[in-house]
């Protein structure tokens, strides 16, 4: 912390006279203590005594002594003006309470202050002296007397490590230790330090505030330096834990103490020089930051953004020593100066309240607060004294007077001060402690801003209040911030942010802040920066080219609008028209010999079934629906069986007719027109029965095939029952093979009489088409399988139409001279006569 360097001359004169008087008083005791007990440096008697342990001097340490076996005696050398100021704050608060009739009326507070001289051992010795009451003493006349030397509370020490030692020793006596500057979070452990209380927030909150401050500016790759003591180690441990939770990584974390060998400090300088992090978090005391800054200046190491703890961020001598302005632009947390109470303003101003700017003039404010508590730590000392006074006021049941018959016990003071006290200072600040003896955690955000005169101004640029919700704890005025030169604020990162459409992939052996950016896989997206995972798109969606959004998958089916669908539709309609033309020709020339000789009734039924075959192919085109899926396969199965049944009937008629021309043959009476019709109906009804069973058990249904292609949906008709589908197809194939065999057997009959030769060719084409259909259908993806099925239907239909009917139409239309009974029957008769 920083402390005023221009304290009023009369204040220093007052303190000097007070110290002189105290030392003089100590040389002439009323009672001489038995044993060699160190005397307090500042002493004043009172009805109730308070103790104080501060380091009025600094101890001299020779680094060479660290390597010797014989320890040197403690040498107190230069004055420590900071702790003298703390002492003045304590004396001021005691004097103000003694002169007040509102608190502890009729009672006076006395004090005993010991000089720890920067030594933990000496601090513990002073604490034991303050706790060791009711000692037997004697006056110079050797007349025994008893005088209580016990204090009700001890105020101090300034650092965490001495406080830990003192609290451990006096804890069993339940003697309260109230510190104004010991911030180590470890001191909140009531199992180890049961009687410790402090008026400064715990480092638990300071470390969290620093981590949130770093995260606020997007610094995810930082270095860390700490003092190698309880303050630095515990504070940095909490910062590291919080930083990890916030996604902040430490490139390095080093510690040192000001008495360490120069080689260790130079090693830290090299670590900083060769690091890539541009932000350094320094959880250090002001004495240690001075050492490291001196070395960095000597080696010309600059351009880093420093983030500091409250111990040095507001310390004016540190700024003075920083001649090379290495710390310019530093930002950190400091104990509030209660600006809001002083100037009746708010940093988080709402409604019509006045907003604090941090540039208000202190010279315009005159009250007791500014007289002694301009700096935060002085105010902490002030509040510590008042906390004890309010506890005593409650224990002694003070009203206009206090009950002096109450036996005071330090444990009662601790309980009252830490658990039952809540008071308000004259400036309106609420003072209370939680169950761990910690006050409310509030900090100012301080920024080091250089002035035109070459000095540094500590500017308040924000506020941190741990009692607020997480998203409102930190408030900053970014416009008024000053950054370190060449620090490239905002770029202290190990890896560049991963843009939307990519995800983080950690680099092997490095912290989580070091990563590579990998594009999301197909079907996955990331729509945020620095995404650690890619989100799988829903089944009906697919990732766009940039992998930042899921778009509706393309739906694919054979439609009338596309070229393939249009061509197949045209082929189907053309085949239907062609069939109708043939039927019209046969109808017009139905009385001619060539039409009559080829069983005109079966021919017309065959033409009708062929037209249905051409038309049924249209049901395979278009978006599959529930009715179209059932219709396409059922219509296909029944119409083709009807068609093949007609062809089979015609083939049997040819065979029977030839047998009927032989002498003594009477077979035609067994396969006349009635039997021909019944055979067609019987064969067709079997297929109808198969189709009914298929529809009843497991009918075809529309299905979205998402497995075939990842980026599009294939709309198709699922078979429902594969057995049903192959049963329909197999029955058609069975009839076709039977028809082909019979036609093949009748191929050598008289040419002019029968059409077995044409039926053989048509069945050969039919079978070839459907045999090649099976592997092509199975291997074709998506809509192409439907195309293959339509092609097979049209090819087999055209084969039947062209092979059976086109030759006859050619004779009817272009060779009418051959369309005579003599020509049709001539060759067969000549053949019979030759055979005779």
């Amino acid at each position: 912390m920083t402390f005023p360097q221009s304290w009023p001359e009369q204040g220093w004169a007052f303190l000097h006279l007070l110290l002189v008087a105290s030392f003089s008083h100590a040389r002439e005791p009323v009672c001489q203590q038995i044993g060699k007990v160190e005397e307090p440096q500042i002493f004043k008697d009172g009805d109730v005594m308070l103790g104080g342990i501060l380091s009025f001097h600094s101890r001299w340490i020779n680094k060479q002594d660290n390597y010797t076996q014989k320890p040197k005696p403690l040498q107190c050398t230069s004055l420590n003006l900071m702790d003298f100021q703390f002492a003045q704050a304590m004396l001021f608060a005691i004097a103000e309470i003694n002169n007040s009739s509102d608190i502890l009326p009729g009672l006076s507070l006395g004090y005993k202050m010991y000089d720890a001289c920067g030594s933990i051992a000496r601090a513990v010795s002073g604490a034991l002296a303050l706790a060791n009451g009711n000692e037997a003493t004697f006056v110079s006349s050797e007349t025994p007397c008893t005088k209580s030397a016990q204090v009700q509370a001890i105020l101090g020490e300034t650092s965490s490590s001495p406080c830990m030692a003192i609290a451990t020793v006096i804890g069993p006596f339940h003697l309260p230790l109230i510190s104004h500057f010991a911030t180590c979070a470890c001191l909140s452990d009531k199992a180890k330090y049961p009687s410790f209380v402090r008026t400064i927030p715990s480092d638990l909150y300071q470390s969290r505030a620093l981590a949130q401050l770093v995260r606020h500016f997007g610094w995810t790759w930082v270095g860390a330096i700490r003092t190698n003591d309880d303050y630095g180690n515990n504070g940095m441990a909490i910062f590291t834990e919080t930083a990890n939770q916030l996604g902040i990584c430490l490139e390095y974390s080093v510690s040192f103490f000001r008495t360490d060998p120069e080689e260790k400090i130079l090693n830290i300088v090299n670590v900083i020089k060769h690091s890539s992090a541009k932000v350094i978090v320094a959880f250090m005391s002001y004495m240690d930051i001075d050492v490291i800054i001196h070395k960095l200046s000597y080696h010309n190491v600059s351009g880093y953004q420093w983030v500091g703890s409250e111990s040095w961020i507001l310390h004016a001598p540190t700024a003075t020593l920083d001649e090379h302005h290495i710390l310019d632009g530093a930002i950190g947390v400091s104990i509030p100066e209660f600006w809001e109470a002083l100037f009746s303003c708010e940093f988080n101003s709402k409604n019509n309240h006045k907003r604090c700017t941090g540039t208000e003039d202190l010279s315009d404010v005159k009250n007791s607060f500014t007289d002694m508590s301009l700096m935060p730590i002085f105010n902490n000392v002030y509040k510590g004294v008042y906390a004890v006074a309010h506890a005593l006021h409650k224990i002694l049941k003070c009203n206009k007077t206090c009950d002096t018959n109450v036996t005071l016990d330090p444990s009662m003071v601790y309980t009252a001060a830490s658990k039952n006290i809540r008071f308000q200072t004259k400036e309106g600040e609420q003072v209370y402690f939680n169950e761990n003896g910690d006050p409310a955690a509030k900090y100012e955000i301080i920024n080091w801003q250089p002035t035109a005169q070459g000095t540094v101004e500590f500017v308040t640029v924000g506020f941190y209040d741990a009692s607020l919700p997480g998203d409102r704890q930190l408030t900053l005025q970014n416009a008024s911030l000053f950054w370190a030169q060449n620090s490239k604020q905002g770029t202290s990162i190990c890896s560049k942010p991963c843009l939307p459409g990519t995800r983080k992939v950690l680099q092997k052996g490095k912290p989580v802040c070091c990563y590579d950016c990998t594009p999301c896989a197909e079907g996955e997206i990331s729509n945020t920066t620095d995404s650690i995972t890619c989100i799988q798109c829903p089944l009906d969606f697919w990732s766009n080219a940039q992998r930042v959004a899921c778009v509706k998958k393309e739906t694919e089916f054979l439609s009338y609008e596309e070229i393939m669908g249009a061509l197949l539709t045209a082929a189907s309609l053309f085949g239907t028209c062609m069939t109708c033309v043939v039927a019209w020709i046969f109808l017009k020339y139905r009385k001619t010999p060539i039409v009559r000789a080829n069983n005109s009734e079966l021919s017309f039924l065959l033409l009708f079934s062929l037209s249905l075959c051409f038309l049924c192919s249209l049901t395979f085109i278009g978006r599959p629906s529930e009715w179209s899926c059932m219709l396409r396969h059922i219509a296909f199965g029944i119409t083709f069986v009807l068609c093949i049944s007609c062809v089979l009937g015609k083939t049997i008629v040819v065979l029977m007719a030839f047998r009927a021309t032989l002498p003594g043959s009477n077979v035609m009476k067994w396969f006349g027109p009635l039997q021909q019709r019944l055979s067609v109906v019987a064969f067709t009804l079997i297929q109808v029965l198969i189709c009914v069973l298929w529809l009843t058990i497991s009918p075809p249904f529309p299905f979205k095939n998402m497995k075939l292609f990842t980026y599009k949906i294939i709309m198709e008709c699922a078979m429902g029952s594969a057995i049903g589908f192959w049963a329909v197809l197999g029955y058609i194939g069975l009839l076709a093979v039977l028809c082909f065999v019979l036609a093949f057997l009748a191929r050598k009959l008289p040419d002019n009489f029968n059409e077995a030769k044409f039926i053989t060719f048509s069945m050969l084409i039919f079978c070839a088409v459907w045999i090649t259909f099976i592997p092509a259908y199975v291997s074709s993806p998506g809509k192409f399988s439907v195309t293959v099925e339509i092609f097979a239907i049209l090819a087999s239909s055209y084969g039947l139409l062209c092979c059976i009917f086109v030759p006859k139409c050619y004779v009817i239309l272009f060779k009418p001279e051959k369309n005579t009974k003599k020509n049709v029957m001539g060759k067969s008769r000549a053949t019979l006569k030759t055979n005779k």
Side-chain angles (χ1 to χ4, degrees):
M1 303 300 300
T2 188
F3 305 93
Q5 302 302 304
S6 58
W7 194 264
E9 293 295 333
Q10 62 270 26
W12 291 115
F14 164 75
L15 181 59
H16 177 71
L17 292 175
L18 178 65
L19 291 176
V20 171
S22 298
F23 286 124
S24 300
H25 176 72
R27 295 190 189 96
E28 300 177 2
V30 176
C31 294
Q32 182 178 351
Q33 297 177 333
I34 297 177
K36 188 177 181 180
V37 179
E38 186 176 352
E39 299 173 350
Q41 274 66 41
I42 305 177
F43 170 82
K44 181 180 180 181
D45 201 1
D47 297 319
V48 180
M49 298 297 294
L50 302 182
I53 300 178
L54 297 167
S55 293
F56 300 131
H57 298 83
S58 298
R59 60 172 175 162
W60 180 81
I61 300 176
N62 188 345
K63 292 185 179 181
Q64 300 299 326
D65 294 342
N66 293 341
Y67 308 101
T68 63
Q69 297 295 327
K70 297 180 180 180
K72 300 288 185 180
L74 180 67
Q75 301 181 33
C76 296
T77 55
S78 59
L79 287 176
N80 184 358
L81 297 180
M82 181 179 69
D83 277 26
F84 271 123
Q85 291 172 304
F86 294 157
Q88 185 180 14
M90 179 177 172
L91 299 182
F92 178 92
I94 292 175
E96 191 175 75
I97 293 170
N98 288 339
N99 293 328
S100 173
S101 60
D102 296 329
I103 184 169
L104 295 178
L107 292 179
S108 64
L109 293 178
Y111 49 83
K112 291 182 178 182
M113 295 189 190
Y114 282 89
D115 182 8
C117 198
S119 167
I120 295 179
R122 188 158 176 169
V124 172
S125 176
L128 289 173
L130 292 171
N132 188 20
N134 295 322
E135 294 181 337
T137 59
F138 59 90
V139 294
S140 58
S141 62
E142 299 185 357
T143 301
C145 70
T146 300
K147 183 174 178 63
S148 174
Q150 186 176 15
V151 296
Q152 298 302 318
I154 299 176
L155 283 85
E157 232 261 18
T158 301
S159 302
S160 295
S161 294
C163 284
M164 293 171 66
I166 295 171
T168 302
V169 171
I170 67 174
F173 303 107
H174 304 287
L175 179 60
L177 174 64
I178 304 176
S179 176
H180 53 279
F181 211 12
T183 58
C184 180
C186 56
L187 288 166
S188 298
D189 187 350
K190 290 297 142 186
K192 293 182 178 179
Y193 315 106
S195 62
F196 180 78
V197 184
R198 54 183 154 197
T199 53
I200 189 171
S202 165
D203 281 340
L204 173 69
Y205 305 102
Q206 179 185 189
S207 299
R208 290 176 178 176
L210 288 174
Q212 289 191 33
L213 185 65
V214 171
R215 190 68 185 89
H216 174 81
F217 295 113
W219 300 326
T220 58
W221 187 239
V222 300
I225 308 177
R226 67 187 185 277
T227 298
N228 191 15
D229 60 6
D230 296 307
Y231 169 76
N233 292 331
N234 286 281
M236 186 56 70
I238 298 172
F239 171 84
T240 303
E241 179 184 356
T242 308
N244 290 335
Q245 296 172 357
L246 297 177
I248 302 169
C249 298
L250 272 61
E251 182 180 9
Y252 58 87
S253 181
V254 294
S255 65
F256 83 100
F257 198 72
R258 51 190 172 274
T259 59
D260 284 344
E262 187 172 356
E263 292 78 8
K264 184 174 182 180
I265 300 176
L266 290 177
N267 182 58
I268 293 176
V269 172
N270 289 328
V271 169
I272 296 175
K273 286 177 63 176
H274 295 94
S275 68
S276 59
K278 295 300 180 183
V279 174
I280 302 175
V281 179
F283 214 103
M284 311 170 71
S285 71
Y286 65 91
M287 292 176 283
D288 294 307
I289 193 73
D290 292 346
V291 174
I292 197 68
I293 292 303
H294 174 73
K295 291 298 180 183
L296 291 174
S297 301
Y298 181 80
H299 292 276
N300 196 26
V301 179
S302 61
Y304 292 90
Q305 177 62 49
W306 291 80
V307 179
S309 60
E310 41 74 32
S311 179
W312 65 268
I313 197 65
L314 208 61
H315 192 240
T318 298
T320 303
L321 291 172
D322 185 22
E323 297 177 353
H324 293 81
H325 299 278
I326 291 176
L327 297 178
D328 282 6
I331 190 169
V333 298
S334 170
I335 308 303
E337 296 175 25
F338 304 101
W339 219 260
E340 294 175 330
L342 281 173
F343 298 102
S344 300
C345 61
E346 295 181 2
F347 283 102
N348 301 318
S349 178
K350 294 183 178 179
N351 302 327
N352 296 322
H353 291 167
K354 181 182 177 182
R355 185 179 184 87
C356 295
T357 64
T359 59
E360 289 80 3
D361 189 1
L362 281 170
S363 62
D364 297 334
V365 183
K366 298 296 181 181
N367 56 32
S368 61
F369 183 85
T370 54
D371 288 342
M372 54 70 57
S373 299
L374 277 178
M375 290 297 104
I377 307 306
F378 299 161
N379 188 57
N380 288 343
V381 177
Y382 182 84
K383 289 186 294 186
V385 176
Y386 264 87
V388 176
H390 278 280
L392 292 170
H393 189 89
K394 186 171 184 177
I395 294 170
L396 298 176
K397 303 175 183 178
C398 298
N399 191 1
K400 293 183 179 180
T401 60
C402 296
D403 186 358
T404 57
N405 294 322
V406 176
T407 302
L408 286 175
D409 183 79
S411 63
M412 299 169 60
V413 177
Y414 168 75
T415 302
S418 63
K419 298 180 180 180
N420 301 323
I421 290 299
R422 187 183 186 103
F423 64 94
Q424 188 176 32
T425 64
K426 293 180 179 180
E427 288 70 34
E429 181 194 357
Q430 291 289 335
V431 180
Y432 59 91
F433 305 95
N434 62 16
E435 65 277 4
N436 296 321
D438 296 328
K442 296 182 179 180
Y443 299 96
E444 288 179 352
I445 309 301
I446 302 298
N447 184 214
W448 285 33
Q449 299 187 5
T451 63
Q453 293 74 28
T455 60
V456 172
E457 183 179 0
F458 303 134
V459 179
T460 300
V461 294
F463 198 72
Y464 179 88
D465 188 347
S467 64
L468 297 176
D471 58 339
R472 293 170 48 203
Q473 291 179 346
L474 181 64
T475 303
L476 285 171
Q477 301 168 359
N478 293 345
S480 59
L481 288 169
F482 177 85
W483 301 112
Q485 293 182 0
N486 303 322
S487 66
K488 296 182 181 180
Q489 183 269 329
T491 60
S492 187
I493 54 179
C494 182
S495 301
K496 292 183 179 180
C498 288
L499 300 176
T502 62
R503 65 180 178 89
K504 293 181 179 180
V505 177
L506 298 182
Q507 296 177 359
K508 187 175 181 180
K510 292 189 177 181
V512 294
C513 297
C514 300
Y515 48 81
D516 297 319
C517 299
T518 301
C520 293
E522 291 185 344
E524 297 180 347
I525 65 163
S526 66
N527 51 15
T528 58
T529 302
D530 283 339
S531 177
I532 58 175
T533 58
C534 293
I535 305 171
Q536 183 72 41
C537 289
L539 289 178
D540 289 353
F541 290 81
W542 191 248
S543 56
N544 60 1
Q546 294 76 27
R547 306 288 196 272
V548 295
C550 291
V551 295
K552 194 78 173 177
K553 280 185 180 180
E554 175 189 355
T555 302
E556 184 180 90
F557 56 89
L558 186 61
S559 65
Y560 295 100
E561 288 78 14
E562 59 182 296
I563 296 176
M564 182 64 70
L567 291 175
L568 292 175
T569 300
S572 175
L573 295 177
F574 180 75
T576 303
C577 295
M578 188 175 175
T579 303
C580 293
V581 170
V582 172
W584 178 80
I585 293 173
F586 268 55
L587 181 62
K588 183 176 181 180
Y589 297 96
R590 62 184 179 278
K591 294 182 179 180
T592 60
I594 197 169
V595 175
R596 291 168 60 101
N598 288 281
N599 197 328
S600 59
E601 186 174 330
L602 285 180
S603 296
F604 283 112
L605 186 57
L606 177 57
L607 288 170
F608 172 73
S609 62
L610 281 174
S611 64
L612 293 180
C613 288
F614 281 116
L615 292 175
C616 81
S617 64
L618 297 177
T619 62
F620 288 83
I621 305 175
R623 189 183 189 92
S625 62
E626 191 172 346
W627 69 267
S628 66
C629 287
M630 291 187 292
L631 178 61
R632 64 173 60 173
H633 291 99
I634 301 305
F636 157 71
I638 293 176
T639 55
F640 261 81
V641 165
L642 178 60
C643 180
I644 300 300
S645 298
C646 293
V647 175
L648 182 59
K650 292 174 69 68
T651 305
I652 294 175
V653 168
V654 171
L655 287 173
M656 293 302 173
F658 179 76
R659 295 287 298 175
T661 60
L662 299 177
S665 178
N666 193 24
V667 297
M668 284 304 296
K669 69 177 182 179
W670 300 106
F671 201 73
L674 178 61
Q675 287 79 7
Q676 296 171 22
R677 298 190 196 100
L678 290 176
S679 65
V680 172
V681 172
F683 288 137
T684 305
L685 283 177
I686 294 174
Q687 184 72 308
V688 171
L689 178 61
I690 295 174
C691 291
V692 169
L693 290 175
W694 184 13
L695 294 177
T696 303
I697 297 173
S698 181
F701 59 90
F703 172 68
K704 294 181 179 180
N705 189 339
M706 301 182 185
K707 296 182 179 180
L708 192 59
F709 298 100
T710 55
Y711 56 91
K712 61 182 177 180
I713 302 173
I714 305 300
M715 298 297 297
E716 59 185 25
C717 287
M719 297 305 171
S721 172
I723 296 176
F725 172 74
W726 292 109
V728 168
L729 205 62
Y731 183 65
I732 296 173
L734 177 63
L735 292 181
V737 170
L738 178 60
C739 186
F740 172 74
V741 171
L742 293 178
F744 182 78
L745 294 176
R747 71 188 187 283
K748 293 185 178 180
L749 295 178
D751 293 343
N752 291 359
F753 175 78
N754 71 86
E755 54 184 350
K757 180 170 59 177
F758 303 115
I759 292 175
T760 302
F761 284 125
S762 66
M763 286 298 101
L764 187 61
I765 294 173
F766 185 91
C767 293
V769 167
W770 285 100
I771 288 174
T772 56
F773 158 77
I774 294 174
Y777 178 81
V778 172
S779 61
S780 298
K783 63 182 180 180
F784 297 106
S785 62
V786 178
T787 303
V788 168
E789 192 168 0
I790 296 175
F791 179 80
I793 293 173
L794 294 178
S796 55
S797 299
Y798 273 110
L800 290 173
L801 180 63
C802 294
C803 290
I804 295 176
F805 293 101
V806 170
K808 297 176 179 58
C809 291
Y810 175 76
V811 173
I812 292 172
L813 296 177
F814 302 105
K815 299 291 183 178
E817 66 278 5
K818 293 183 178 181
N819 191 6
T820 61
K821 185 175 181 180
K822 179 181 179 181
N823 185 66
V824 172
M825 300 297 293
K827 186 174 182 179
S828 62
R829 288 179 180 177
T831 303
L832 289 174
K833 287 180 180 181
T834 303
N835 291 337
K836 287 180 181 179

